[in-house]
Amino acid sequence: MQRKIGVMGGTFDPIHHGHLVAASEVADLFGLDEVVFVPTGQPWQKGARSVTPAEDRYLMTVVATASNPRFGVSRVDIDRSGPTYTKDTLTDLHAEMPDASLFFITGADALGAILSWRDVEDLFSLAHFVGVTRPGYELEDDHLPEGAVTLVEVPAMAISSTDCRRRVAEGHPVWYLVPDGVVQYIAKRGLYREQGEQ
Ligand code: ATP
Ligand code: MG
């Protein structure tokens, strides 16, 4: 039978339980064999903020997913130079797993930006898109081509990486917002201590 692979793209700066719950729920609902987390390369939508080095984001993603046999991490985006485009991510993963069908998982906020993505029709031919609920964002598919996107309600996790970074910078805990190993990795590497634009 054709393998079904979830693809969860993100900056993961840091990865948190909102990402993990979304991936786990979609895997369950769609009967996915695996979910591949794909940390971005140089992120082009993040504006002025300087993003944590890709290797740190990659390692935090590995630490956070290591205990789940159905979760994996791909380096395709961080090993490709230049900004990350979802089309390239899906094209590379499709080349690695030509027999798999891909399910691209995205939160309500990122789904809203889908129409601004390049090559939207190509995207829909590379993967089925799954939009998940996220507290604070409206999940709507009014403008999306029919049948290309499935909207899914997942347990509400009002967590963002931005908030986690701000908490660390201000000396507040991120325990229980991110996996324990990620708390320890952040401390070990001294990430997010700088005050300033988070
Ligand atoms: P930042 O605040 O830096 O933008 P983030 O928390 O939004 O970080 P990203 O790495 O930007 O995390 O998100 C990766 C993907 O995960 C996106 O599709 C995003 O919509 C989704 N996502 C992030 N947090 C949640 C959440 N709490 N619930 C559901 N989906 C989420
Ligand atoms: Mg985000």
Side-chain angles (χ1 to χ4, degrees):
M1 223 178 68
Q2 197 180 33
R3 277 175 27 100
K4 294 194 210 169
I5 305 291
V7 180
M8 180 96 202
T11 314
F12 303 134
D13 192 12
I15 189 166
H16 55 67
H17 283 126
H19 301 127
L20 295 162
V21 163
S24 172
E25 281 294 298
V26 173
D28 179 46
L29 284 168
F30 287 80
L32 304 182
D33 296 286
E34 188 185 345
V35 177
V36 182
F37 290 73
V38 194
T40 53
Q42 177 204 333
W44 54 282
Q45 278 166 328
K46 293 281 164 172
R49 181 177 83 79
S50 69
V51 169
T52 303
E55 284 309 324
D56 285 321
R57 294 184 291 109
Y58 171 76
L59 285 174
M60 287 191 281
T61 308
V62 170
V63 165
T65 56
S67 60
N68 187 330
R70 288 183 192 266
F71 283 176
V73 187
S74 169
R75 297 184 60 96
V76 283
D77 286 345
I78 63 178
D79 286 346
R80 189 185 326 101
S81 61
T84 294
Y85 296 101
T86 302
K87 186 187 173 192
D88 297 333
T89 310
L90 292 173
T91 303
D92 287 358
L93 291 175
H94 179 66
E96 278 179 15
M97 303 175 280
D99 298 329
S101 60
L102 302 180
F103 292 74
F104 191 82
I105 304 163
T106 176
D109 56 318
L111 187 67
I114 232 176
L115 285 182
S116 71
W117 290 358
R118 291 189 326 173
D119 312 309
V120 83
E121 291 303 327
D122 291 351
L123 285 176
F124 291 145
S125 69
L126 284 162
H128 185 77
F129 278 65
V130 183
V132 302
T133 48
R134 177 171 189 182
Y137 299 93
E138 206 57 52
L139 188 54
E140 38 189 338
D141 65 349
D142 300 0
H143 312 292
L144 298 168
E146 210 162 314
V149 182
T150 306
L151 304 184
V152 165
E153 174 139 5
V154 298
M157 299 287 241
I159 309 174
S160 71
S161 301
T162 301
D163 181 51
C164 292
R165 294 190 298 271
R166 191 181 300 127
R167 283 169 159 275
V168 175
E170 293 174 355
H172 298 304
V174 288
W175 290 110
Y176 317 117
L177 299 173
V178 305
D180 293 358
V182 173
V183 178
Q184 287 156 337
Y185 187 92
I186 291 168
K188 171 179 161 180
R189 297 275 295 150
L191 303 180
Y192 313 130
R193 288 215 197 119
E194 297 286 301
Q195 295 280 351
E197 195 185 356
Q198 297 298 320

